Amino acid sequence: MNITLDKSSTTEASLKIALTPEDYQAGVDKKIKEYSKQANLKGFRPGKVPASVIQRLYGKSILVDEVNETLSKAVNDYLRESKLLVVGDPMPDREKANAIDWDSQKEFEFVYNLGLASDFDVDFTKLPAITSYEIQAGDKEYNDTLVDLKKRMGEHAHVEEVTAAGDLVYGTFTQGEYSEKSAIPTDKLTEEAFAGFVGKKKGDVLTFDIQKLFADEKGLKLATGREDLSGEFEFTIEDITRNQDSELNQEFFDKVLGPGKVSSEEEFKAQLLEIVQENYKRESEFLLRDEVQKTLLDNVQIELPNEFLKQWLIETNQGEITAEEVEKDFDKFARDLRWTLIRNKVAEAADIKVETEDVNTYAEAMVRQQFGIYGDDNGMGDVIKKVAQNYLQENKGQNYMNVFNRVYGGKTMDFILTQIQPNVEKIDVDTFKAKAGVTDAE
């Protein structure tokens, strides 16, 4: 076997592999013998079919399979040992492959086109300054959080008539033969439509153009589960409820923080502010990680074989994606690929390892979050572990690999953060939101 690499540029190369009978014939002969022992052909005793008959009937397919297996192993071994930064998959020269005469040829030459990433280094000392934000949460954030919690912990009370935006009006939509029970959240109505609801009581019937009822199409879908309704509807009111904010008392403290955690408003405020501050700290860390990734992408120069990758994407997706779609999304694909290369290089240099226990722990944390368990698991530890294991085993192992990659990426970023010294800047919440591109609606 002879393997040669011909680099036509920094990012493209061709790999030529020449095979002779010495490379594949022993494997072909072995498979023919195996076929002879297993074949069940008319006129021959089971397991006694002559090798010459197997050669005549199946020789070509056996040869093709053995050559392809030999070829695949040779390519994989060469690329692994050469440590080339191969991106995408090797793409065979199909014209050359299709020209092979499998009936008469003994020696074969195969050519693969390779896409390569250029060599690069990650030098943290040469990165520009990065800022980490220490968010200062105060009375405003406490009061905003308190208002939200009082609403969430409040109770729905039945009321006589609609008076406030936010009242939930239960009833039945009718139009001809269409009839559907539902509820209308009055805070989703247009101002004009809401005015028509004010003062209405149980048993009242309203008539309206349903397309003009809600402030946006989301309100229509929320109330009816459909977006295609139109025309004049009647709505018969059957009940009205209003959310009444929870009172600031011991019952409220226990619901929010847990039984007996605090016994006064002062203690409650102190603990709630700690939670708010911790939440904003996590948001700041997310922003820092994004900024570090952006800084590395902007400052570590990696050249990619763009045209090769575009063609590879089209071929590997087998007609499911067009050239126009590849072109449209290519910049994001290339950016993600460059980040993967940077991350993997850092991880390799730092000897980042992910153990099975790391994957299990992460999956269990996902389950805890899904169940809304943030402290003591209340004896559900075994259930959490079982659900996590079931999740990891589903989807033919893809779930496991997804979690593995998240853990791998998280560990690598944790290491990267130890290699930089960000400038710490104290800012208020509104300034942070502006920097992070977050709106109050979000």
Side-chain angles (χ1 to χ4, degrees):
M1 182 185 302
N2 184 36
I3 303 178
T4 57
L5 179 71
D6 180 16
K7 292 187 71 173
S8 56
S9 70
T10 307
T11 59
E12 294 191 8
S14 62
L15 189 66
K16 295 181 181 179
I17 303 176
L19 300 180
T20 64
E22 287 77 10
D23 301 311
Y24 62 81
Q25 192 60 52
V28 170
D29 293 341
K30 180 180 178 182
K31 286 183 178 178
I32 287 177
K33 288 182 180 179
E34 291 173 352
Y35 270 58
S36 297
K37 295 177 180 179
Q38 298 169 3
N40 188 2
L41 297 179
K42 187 176 181 179
F44 299 95
R45 286 184 295 166
K48 298 296 183 179
V49 181
S52 59
V53 174
I54 298 296
Q55 174 65 43
R56 177 166 53 83
L57 295 175
Y58 306 112
K60 184 192 292 189
S61 63
I62 292 173
L63 172 63
V64 172
D65 288 346
E66 182 62 27
V67 167
N68 283 333
E69 288 179 16
T70 303
L71 192 60
S72 177
K73 184 177 185 305
V75 171
N76 291 333
D77 289 348
Y78 180 87
L79 295 180
R80 183 177 62 253
E81 293 169 7
S82 66
K83 297 188 181 300
L84 292 169
L85 287 178
V86 177
V87 290
D89 296 317
M91 292 175 59
D93 184 330
R94 300 197 183 281
E95 183 177 348
K96 196 171 185 67
N98 290 337
I100 292 175
D101 183 353
W102 293 99
D103 291 313
S104 61
Q105 273 186 242
K106 301 298 182 184
E107 297 184 353
F108 307 96
E109 183 179 83
F110 298 88
V111 178
Y112 288 88
N113 296 315
L114 306 180
L116 309 173
S118 61
D119 290 333
F120 65 93
D121 292 312
V122 180
D123 188 344
F124 295 108
T125 65
K126 294 182 179 180
L127 295 178
I130 297 174
T131 301
S132 174
Y133 298 104
E134 187 177 307
I135 306 169
Q136 306 297 299
D139 286 344
K140 179 180 182 301
E141 287 67 46
Y142 168 76
N143 290 329
D144 289 346
T145 303
L146 182 60
V147 168
D148 179 63
L149 286 171
K150 289 172 73 174
K151 287 184 181 298
R152 286 166 51 193
M153 297 294 180
E155 296 180 353
H156 284 283
H158 297 276
V159 295
E160 291 296 320
E161 64 181 55
V162 179
T163 59
D167 287 353
L168 198 58
V169 184
Y170 295 86
T172 302
F173 286 97
T174 56
Q175 183 193 61
E177 295 183 358
Y178 175 85
S179 179
E180 185 70 30
K181 287 185 177 293
S182 187
I184 297 177
T186 55
D187 56 352
K188 303 298 182 183
L189 300 177
T190 64
E191 289 186 15
E192 182 179 354
F194 175 66
F197 274 74
V198 174
K200 298 301 180 182
K201 302 178 179 180
K202 187 186 300 186
D204 287 346
V205 179
L206 295 92
T207 302
F208 44 71
D209 182 338
I210 200 165
Q211 285 292 331
K212 297 179 180 179
L213 185 64
F214 297 98
D216 57 47
E217 59 186 18
K218 292 181 181 178
L220 176 59
K221 187 171 184 179
L222 177 65
T224 66
R226 295 175 58 175
E227 298 175 340
D228 58 339
L229 298 178
S230 62
E232 190 172 272
F233 275 73
E234 287 188 349
F235 185 81
T236 303
I237 298 178
E238 298 169 3
D239 194 11
I240 305 165
T241 65
R242 181 177 303 145
N243 186 67
Q244 295 184 334
D245 290 355
S246 177
E247 295 183 12
L248 197 63
N249 52 28
Q250 188 62 48
E251 182 182 2
F252 176 73
F253 299 156
D254 291 345
K255 282 183 179 180
V256 175
L257 298 177
K261 295 292 184 181
V262 298
S263 58
S264 68
E265 185 175 345
E266 291 74 19
E267 292 178 354
F268 175 79
K269 180 177 181 179
Q271 285 214 16
L272 186 60
L273 267 176
E274 284 184 16
I275 295 171
V276 171
Q277 190 76 49
E278 188 63 29
N279 288 340
Y280 279 118
K281 180 181 178 181
R282 282 197 294 270
E283 290 189 30
S284 179
E285 289 175 352
F286 290 147
L287 183 62
L288 175 61
R289 288 168 181 256
D290 286 343
E291 188 63 28
V292 168
Q293 180 175 333
K294 180 178 182 299
T295 301
L296 284 166
L297 284 167
D298 289 344
N299 290 274
V300 176
Q301 302 304 312
I302 306 174
E303 188 179 355
L304 296 176
N306 292 341
E307 295 309 313
F308 171 89
L309 287 170
K310 291 174 185 178
Q311 186 60 37
W312 172 71
L313 286 169
I314 292 171
E315 290 195 14
T316 53
N317 284 281
Q318 298 179 344
E320 295 181 2
I321 188 171
T322 65
E324 290 75 17
E325 290 171 325
V326 168
E327 195 68 42
K328 177 184 176 183
D329 298 329
F330 186 76
D331 286 347
K332 182 181 184 305
F333 168 82
R335 184 179 178 84
D336 291 344
L337 177 56
R338 289 177 56 238
W339 172 244
T340 298
L341 292 168
I342 293 170
R343 184 197 67 183
N344 289 350
K345 187 152 194 171
V346 171
E348 183 178 4
D351 196 27
I352 302 293
K353 304 290 185 185
V354 175
E355 306 296 341
T356 300
E357 187 59 33
D358 298 326
V359 177
N360 292 339
T361 300
Y362 189 97
E364 289 167 18
M366 288 172 55
V367 174
R368 287 174 181 273
Q369 185 175 15
Q370 185 179 4
F371 286 173
I373 300 173
Y374 298 100
D376 184 12
D377 59 26
N378 296 317
M380 291 184 63
D382 291 340
V383 174
I384 291 170
K385 288 183 179 180
K386 184 176 181 180
V387 172
Q389 286 303 309
N390 288 341
Y391 171 78
L392 291 173
Q393 293 169 18
E394 289 173 354
N395 200 18
K396 298 180 179 179
Q398 188 59 48
N399 289 354
Y400 183 94
M401 288 308 304
N402 288 341
V403 173
F404 179 96
N405 286 329
R406 289 182 203 171
V407 176
Y408 182 72
K411 282 192 168 189
T412 305
M413 180 57 79
D414 288 342
F415 172 79
I416 291 173
L417 292 177
T418 67
Q419 303 303 300
I420 62 174
Q421 296 296 326
N423 299 322
V424 178
E425 180 181 336
K426 294 184 178 182
I427 60 175
D428 59 34
V429 173
D430 288 340
T431 304
F432 173 78
K433 286 182 177 180
K435 289 182 178 293
V438 178
T439 65
D440 288 337
E442 295 175 298

